[in-house]
Amino acid sequence: MKSAKGIENLAFVPSSPDILRRLSASPSEIEISAFSSDPQKENSQPQELQKPQEPQKSPEPSLPSAPPNVSEEQLRSLSLSEFEEGPCGWRNFHPQCLQRFNTPRGFLLCYCLLAVTQGIVVNGLVNISISTIEKRYEMKSFLTGLISSSYDISFCLLSLFVSFFGERGHKPRWLAFAAFMIGLGALVFSLPQFFSGKYKLGSLFKDTCVTASNSTSCTSSTSSLSNYLYVFILGQLLLGAGGTPLYTLGTAFLDDSVPTHKSSLYIGTGYAMSILGPAIGYVLGGQLLTMYIDVAVEESTDVTEDDPRWLGAWWIGFLLSWIFAWSLIIPFSCFPKHLPGTAEIQAGKTSQAHQSNGNADAKFGKTIKDFPAALKNLMKNAVFMCLVLSTSSEALITTGFATFLPKFIENQFGLTSSFAATLGGAVLIPGAALGQILGGFLVSKFKMTCKNAMKFALFTSGVAFTLSFVFIYANCENEPFAGVSESYNGTGELGSLIAPCNANCNCLRSYYYPVCGGGVQYFSPCFAGCSNTVSHRKPKVYYNCSCIERKTEITSTAETLGFEAKAGKCETHCANLPIFLCIFFIIIIFTFMASTPITVSILRCVNHRQRSLALGIQFMFLRLLGTIPGPIIFGFTIDSTCILWDINDCGIKGACWIYDNIKMAHMLVAISVTCKVITIFFNGFAILLYRPPPPATDVSFHNENSVVTNVLAEQDLNKVVKEG
């Protein structure tokens, strides 16, 4: 945008077919040509290039030829150096076989592989290993929560600086650094396994009713194993340092290398692969947890996965990710600073930056002194900030559901933890990936402008908001639970798990192992008064249970014919699960369909030179306002619906065992609707505030920088003349 104050939205200089003529312009003619409103006149009358005309005779004066001692090859070399396009390779070594990958698709392939690796480690292996790490290294839940949050803390601290300085740097090399840090973080995260010694099994806990005391005394003890907390935090900090360039500079590099209408498709594909990573991480981590933690130890044959003392080999996945991440360093390091054809692509792009009152200086953003001013410049962009707040609100509910959807399914529909986690992953991962790809494809297919992309995101958010009320109708009431909602055959009191039938069993409330008998669920076989079990049957069954009404005494000889209770929760009579999963899958698709259009809108509505910094600010706010508080808010809300807590012998409240299903569903609807309203509000406000460049004004990236281009070009040209 050109104004009396100067030139807004300065971008880096693209090369174009007429760059040689611009480089040969004299200083007196540079300013006139820069403000020409008709670029076609620059290509007319080629004969006049040999002789300058008077400015009064033509709206655009012709350009003189280059000095005779400067060759055309020197000028072409000078123009191409602005983007440093080059072959794929290292220094003077450029194998021909690598040149076929020196394209946007080749870079996208490497980008996707690194995004998948990062997703496998950060959102897959770490999450599925947390409970095992908590048991192995004797940590409390809030400490493992600190481990999980360390990645976001690192990302927030580094995102602004990496995106600011990386914008003018060699972005593929920054991604090579990202691959190195992700691999190093994965390696460091696995180190405690090799320095903590062999895992020692404790004594086997008896889950049936026994007269001998199972209880433990109230003693507080500390273990040196918990000191490995700092190693895990260091690993997460390193992973955060690697993830920062990936999602800021990597996204900006993709946007640089392809035409505007294809950018959304490439970005959407890259983001979809980052969602695929956690799915692979969960599958890989789940399979590795079926192996004993100390793989080469013979003692592993003495315990099975059903044994509470079992711990799986959580660390193997991190070693595999370390090797794979470091194998990507070489491909990224061989890419040039800009892919071949970038200059021509940039010359054909048109700025869609939001027109505000601020102007950028030509040398703005090249030193650390410009960093505060660069932040202020973006913060004053009202459209950009509205989009950032919109994505932050959306991130809050997506991360909240990603964390607690399995728990919601488990409690609402009476499923096991593993099956609920499988269903949750089967809905979240494909839905999110499909939404990302669909959003990018539709924006690319219809060649949406910045404003139309925002409108499309507003529409998809509106659909997701409407469907969010499914939680009110697709919920289930709690099944009968002895001591909570049902008495022990008319004895005992509601709210107490102790009744005359199990008073002498010395049961522990810290050992939750639900069994179902007579259509009623019991906290554990001990609280059901079961004195005998058949361990070789699947699921495990119990008999001679004093708290379950029975007609005849069951003996050991009849153990294969009948039983009074079986391990697991009672089968629910609620049939809303299929409806819930289908509608929630659609919600996820429409929610993530808005992600790529919003990212593209952010890239378009800011100064071209500040796109990486804009993404850095977006991800910082997204974590500060979304991914960090999201699980905390969801967890606090879900805990408020608890009706039975774990209380140990010291009287300390632990985890929640039973929730009020109806209240939980209503509370989650309240959070979802509130966040969706905030998302829609800021998205709609951004559309109202957005002011595109006037359609009659040529604001291509090339013409935005004509003055700067030619001033710098003249200086470089004079240098070439002197050296020639």
Side-chain angles (χ1 to χ4, degrees), residues 132-140 143 147 192-193 195-200 221-232 311:
T132 302
I133 292 173
E134 185 175 314
K135 296 175 184 177
R136 174 66 180 90
Y137 297 98
E138 302 175 11
M139 297 180 186
K140 296 182 179 180
L143 292 179
I147 293 174
Q193 168 65 22
F195 294 97
S196 58
K198 188 181 72 171
Y199 171 57
K200 297 180 180 179
S221 60
T222 57
S223 171
S224 60
L225 290 174
S226 60
N227 292 330
Y228 286 103
L229 166 74
Y230 304 105
V231 180
F232 291 120
L311 292 181

Side-chain angles (χ1 to χ4, degrees), residues 62-330:
S62 59
L63 301 173
S65 60
N69 56 342
V70 181
S71 66
E72 183 175 333
E73 289 74 13
Q74 288 175 303
L75 292 175
R76 181 175 289 106
S77 167
L78 182 62
S79 67
L80 292 178
S81 65
E82 295 172 1
F83 279 92
E84 297 186 29
E85 297 178 6
C88 190
W90 305 270
R91 295 185 178 271
N92 297 325
F93 180 64
H94 306 109
Q96 188 62 34
C97 60
L98 293 181
Q99 306 315 311
R100 67 178 63 184
F101 299 103
N102 197 23
T103 62
R105 290 186 179 181
F107 180 83
L108 178 64
L109 174 63
C110 295
Y111 178 90
C112 289
L113 291 176
L114 185 58
V116 168
T117 306
Q118 185 267 350
I120 288 174
V121 178
V122 176
N123 298 317
L125 295 176
V126 171
N127 291 342
I128 203 170
S129 302
I130 281 295
S131 60
T132 302
I133 292 173
E134 185 175 314
K135 296 175 184 177
R136 174 66 180 90
Y137 297 98
E138 302 175 11
M139 297 180 186
K140 296 182 179 180
S141 296
F142 81 91
L143 292 179
T144 54
L146 179 61
I147 293 174
S148 299
S149 301
S150 299
Y151 173 86
D152 291 320
I153 294 173
S154 174
F155 201 110
C156 288
L157 293 176
L158 297 175
S159 60
L160 296 183
F161 297 99
V162 170
S163 57
F164 179 78
F165 293 107
E167 171 64 31
R168 276 153 292 279
H170 197 298
K171 294 186 180 71
R173 290 178 185 170
W174 273 96
L175 265 69
F177 168 77
F180 173 80
M181 295 302 290
I182 290 174
L184 181 62
L187 175 62
V188 170
F189 203 92
S190 68
L191 289 181
Q193 168 65 22
F194 304 102
F195 294 97
S196 58
K198 188 181 72 171
Y199 171 57
K200 297 180 180 179
L201 290 170
S203 60
L204 181 61
F205 180 82
K206 299 293 185 181
D207 59 359
T208 54
C209 179
V210 292
T211 56
S213 177
N214 257 335
S215 60
T216 57
S217 59
C218 179
T219 57
S220 59
S221 60
T222 57
S223 171
S224 60
L225 290 174
S226 60
N227 292 330
Y228 286 103
L229 166 74
Y230 304 105
V231 180
F232 291 120
I233 291 178
L234 176 60
Q236 282 283 70
L237 293 176
L238 294 173
L239 288 169
T244 304
L246 176 63
Y247 292 111
T248 54
L249 303 179
T251 303
F253 188 84
L254 284 173
D255 187 57
D256 278 343
S257 306
V258 296
T260 302
H261 68 279
K262 290 184 178 180
S263 175
S264 58
L265 182 59
Y266 277 70
I267 294 174
T269 302
Y271 281 4
M273 293 301 103
S274 67
I275 296 173
L276 181 63
I280 299 175
Y282 270 94
V283 174
L284 176 63
Q287 292 299 314
L288 293 174
L289 289 180
T290 62
M291 302 171 57
Y292 188 66
I293 186 170
D294 296 317
V295 178
V297 177
E298 295 180 358
E299 192 176 7
S300 63
T301 59
D302 299 331
V303 292
T304 63
E305 294 180 58
D306 296 328
D307 195 309
R309 300 171 296 170
W310 172 274
L311 292 181
W314 61 271
W315 50 275
I316 297 179
F318 291 94
L319 292 182
L320 296 176
S321 301
W322 158 53
I323 296 172
F324 189 78
W326 278 12
S327 69
L328 295 173
I329 297 176
I330 296 177

Side-chain angles (χ1 to χ4, degrees), residues 290-506:
T290 62
M291 302 171 57
Y292 188 66
I293 186 170
D294 296 317
V295 178
V297 177
E298 295 180 358
E299 192 176 7
S300 63
T301 59
D302 299 331
V303 292
T304 63
E305 294 180 58
D306 296 328
D307 195 309
R309 300 171 296 170
W310 172 274
L311 292 181
W314 61 271
W315 50 275
I316 297 179
F318 291 94
L319 292 182
L320 296 176
S321 301
W322 158 53
I323 296 172
F324 189 78
W326 278 12
S327 69
L328 295 173
I329 297 176
I330 296 177
F332 277 115
S333 64
C334 75
F335 282 104
K337 186 174 183 180
H338 295 284
L339 297 178
T342 300
E344 183 179 354
I345 289 173
Q346 293 300 318
K349 286 187 176 181
T350 301
S351 173
Q352 302 179 46
H354 170 61
Q355 303 302 293
S356 59
N357 295 327
N359 291 315
D361 185 75
K363 298 182 179 179
F364 178 74
K366 294 186 177 181
T367 64
I368 186 63
K369 296 180 181 179
D370 296 330
F371 183 66
L375 288 179
K376 183 179 179 181
N377 183 274
L378 283 173
M379 294 291 189
K380 290 171 63 177
N381 189 327
V383 174
F384 166 70
M385 290 307 301
C386 284
L387 294 178
V388 167
L389 294 175
S390 172
T391 57
S392 300
S393 175
E394 202 78 327
L396 189 147
I397 54 176
T398 54
T399 54
F401 274 113
T403 304
F404 292 103
L405 180 62
K407 179 184 286 288
F408 177 83
I409 295 176
E410 174 187 353
N411 288 275
Q412 288 287 332
F413 306 105
L415 304 178
T416 63
S417 299
S418 58
F419 188 50
T422 302
L423 288 179
V427 171
L428 284 171
I429 303 301
L434 182 59
Q436 292 276 17
I437 295 175
L438 276 178
F441 172 77
L442 292 175
V443 172
S444 176
K445 176 70 174 178
F446 296 101
K447 300 182 179 180
M448 297 183 188
T449 62
C450 180
K451 192 165 190 175
N452 287 339
M454 288 189 284
K455 290 180 179 178
F456 175 70
L458 180 64
F459 167 75
T460 58
S461 298
V463 174
F465 165 76
T466 305
L467 295 175
S468 296
F469 293 95
V470 67
F471 290 99
I472 295 180
Y473 304 102
N475 56 59
C476 302
E477 295 184 357
N478 293 78
E479 296 295 327
F481 197 107
V484 178
S485 60
E486 190 86 4
S487 64
Y488 286 90
N489 296 325
T491 63
E493 298 179 359
L494 292 181
S496 174
L497 296 177
I498 304 297
C501 61
N502 60 24
N504 298 323
C505 293
N506 299 303

